[in-house]
Amino acid sequence: MKKLIYLLTISSGLIIIACESRTYEEISDNTPVILPVKYTSDIKPIMDNSCNGCHSAGSFKPLVTYDQVKNNIEGILDRIQRPNGDPLKMPKGGSFSATQINTFIKWKADGLTEN
């Protein structure tokens, strides 16, 4: 009898866990960007960590300097917002968080300021 109660309790717990209904958007970091976004303090660290491994100074499409990133913002926004599985999605083999994408969008809306 104790085994039956134990199994029912465990089964109920597993069913509750398996029925988690929150979506990825609800559990991911999607913090709104409120403060003004600037290249040096906000965009450059993202580029350095996620993009410059492939888009370095000597590459086909360098995205190392402020001017390079600013002049390519439309392409960057297009690539980072593509759906998973799209072969043109950037960064290769990964994805930016919603907050990182919002940071790029806000930077453009704020006028693409450098400092």
Side-chain angles (χ1 to χ4, degrees):
M1 184 68 169
K2 286 183 182 181
K3 285 184 181 182
L4 181 60
I5 292 172
Y6 177 75
L7 287 174
L8 287 173
T9 303
I10 295 295
S11 297
S12 297
L14 290 173
I15 290 170
I16 290 170
I17 291 170
C19 292
E20 178 66 46
S21 64
R22 294 187 303 165
T23 63
Y24 174 76
E25 288 77 21
E26 291 171 328
I27 61 173
S28 67
D29 178 21
N30 193 6
T31 307
V33 181
I34 299 168
L35 297 174
V37 175
K38 297 182 176 158
Y39 173 78
T40 304
S41 59
D42 303 302
I43 300 298
K44 186 174 183 344
I46 297 171
M47 297 298 295
D48 288 346
N49 290 329
S50 302
C51 305
N52 292 342
C54 296
H55 294 281
S56 60
S59 70
F60 165 73
K61 182 75 129 175
L63 296 171
V64 179
T65 67
Y66 164 73
D67 285 327
Q68 291 168 339
V69 177
K70 179 181 92 169
N71 293 336
N72 288 286
I73 190 60
E74 292 300 328
I76 293 168
L77 288 172
D78 172 57
R79 294 294 190 94
I80 65 176
Q81 294 182 87
R82 288 177 178 257
N84 289 333
D86 186 316
L88 299 177
K89 182 173 180 62
M90 293 289 162
K92 289 283 184 194
S95 194
F96 284 146
S97 70
T99 300
Q100 288 173 313
I101 293 170
N102 290 342
T103 300
F104 279 90
I105 293 168
K106 180 97 168 45
W107 181 52
K108 182 181 176 203
D110 288 347
L112 303 168
T113 56
E114 184 172 9
N115 294 314

